[in-house]
Amino acid sequence: MNDALNIDLHTHSTCSDGALAPGDLVAAAAAAGVEVLALTDHDTVAGLEIAAKHAVPLGLRLVPGVEISAAWRCQSIHVLGLWIDPADGGLRRALDSQAARRYERMRRICARLSEMHLPGDALLSAVLAHPGLPSRTHLAAALVADGHVRSSQQAFRQFLGRGKAADIAADWPALDAVVGWVRSAGGVAALAHPARYALSAGTRRQLLADFAASGGTALEVITGGNSPHTVEACAQLAVNHGLAGSVGSDFHDPNLSWNRLGRSLKLPACVAPVWRQQGL
Ligand code: AMP
Ligand code: MN
Ligand code: MN
Ligand code: MN
């Protein structure tokens, strides 16, 4: 809880790789006591309208959001766009280009799996049968369902994760371009889960400096599964780079326990809450 507000600014629905449809996500968040919720699907705003409709009778404030995939020094980096205008034409066109990149990368990953004597075409069909934009989460689930691995984690460890045989780099746009899309759509750009990237401490500081220089104004200080020690380190990073702090579960699925809705830790007092600028 943050200043008595229960706030969760990072969640996924079936419009990307989440397990709950947008309306069900909103209902689950309200039931968990969340008062301010951002829906931040990967590279799409398709769920925002229906989520907003479901939020009204529940008295839950819905923050229009998106989690955009970007590239920085050959690393995939996730940028949260919060309080965006989902109708913004420039953002719409940019997200259409992201969707095309996702379809293309998924085709290439499945072709690679075929080369490895896995049923790539059938796996691709299973991914494309999903209502959301294609994601490695869906492919991992298809690999589990077809009996090739025992768990999603194993699918990433064995095939899909960094450096593995079917790790196909997506042609994500540069970090500063993505921050620009968010800002042009009236949003606040927050760098997501800074501790999750495989970077040295010095390189991480450089990432934060570049992010701030390109117009990013917030850092996700609290994200699902972070230890208090990591939260403190991220809070220090935010302060050092003049960034506000954000809080989000990164909720995907009620069956995953590490990122439950509305269970966020308190933002350390040294960091300015990103929602304060929005009058919350
Ligand atoms: P994509 O956006 O298609 O690159 O897929 C990335 C998504 O896969 C992330 O947003 C997570 O939801 C999920 N993911 C990443 N790494 C793992 C992992 N090791 N185990 C399970 N899911 C993962
Ligand atoms: Mn995801
Ligand atoms: Mn992410
Ligand atoms: Mn996420």
Side-chain angles (χ1 to χ4, degrees), residues 191-197 199 204 207-208 219-221 223 226 234 237:
L191 190 82
H193 42 66
R196 221 183 288 166
Y197 311 115
L199 301 172
R204 199 181 313 276
L207 166 65
L208 269 286
L219 182 69
E220 192 174 54
V221 169
T223 178
N226 267 5
C234 292
L237 272 177

Side-chain angles (χ1 to χ4, degrees), residues 26-156:
V26 167
V34 175
E35 297 162 282
V36 181
L37 175 78
L39 173 59
T40 54
D41 275 312
H42 294 287
D43 299 306
T44 179
V45 293
L48 292 179
E49 197 177 327
I50 184 88
K53 270 197 196 116
H54 279 79
V56 173
L58 295 168
L60 185 141
R61 282 192 245 202
L62 188 86
V63 175
V66 64
E67 182 176 18
I68 307 181
S69 309
W72 181 82
R73 296 193 185 176
C74 300
Q75 272 269 342
S76 280
I77 301 293
H78 287 176
V79 175
L80 295 167
L82 300 169
W83 291 280
I84 49 161
D85 171 9
D88 179 81
L91 181 65
R92 289 264 172 183
R93 282 188 294 280
L95 294 180
D96 284 348
S97 71
Q98 292 291 83
R101 288 184 180 97
R102 283 190 167 273
Y103 283 102
E104 174 58 19
R105 178 184 62 153
M106 189 54 65
R107 278 190 288 272
R108 291 179 57 211
I109 295 175
C110 290
R112 175 70 57 85
L113 292 174
S114 290
E115 288 166 16
M116 298 166 69
H117 308 292
L118 285 157
D121 291 345
L123 291 164
L124 179 62
S125 297
V127 170
L128 298 182
H130 194 277
L133 275 186
S135 153
R136 287 182 294 167
T137 309
H138 303 136
L139 182 54
L143 284 161
V144 174
D146 212 23
H148 305 291
V149 287
R150 279 189 308 280
S151 66
S152 283
Q153 274 77 6
Q154 192 191 345
F156 276 88

Side-chain angles (χ1 to χ4, degrees), residues 9 14 30-31 56 68 71 81 87 98 111 124 133 160 186-187 189 199 241 244 250 265 267 271 279:
L9 297 179
T14 47
V56 173
I68 307 181
Q98 292 291 83
L124 179 62
L133 275 186
L160 309 177
L199 301 172
H241 293 274
D250 203 2
L265 301 170
L267 195 62
V271 186

Side-chain angles (χ1 to χ4, degrees), residues 157-170:
R157 259 198 323 271
Q158 204 167 325
F159 300 113
L160 309 177
R162 200 177 296 122
K164 305 303 174 187
D167 171 22
I168 306 281

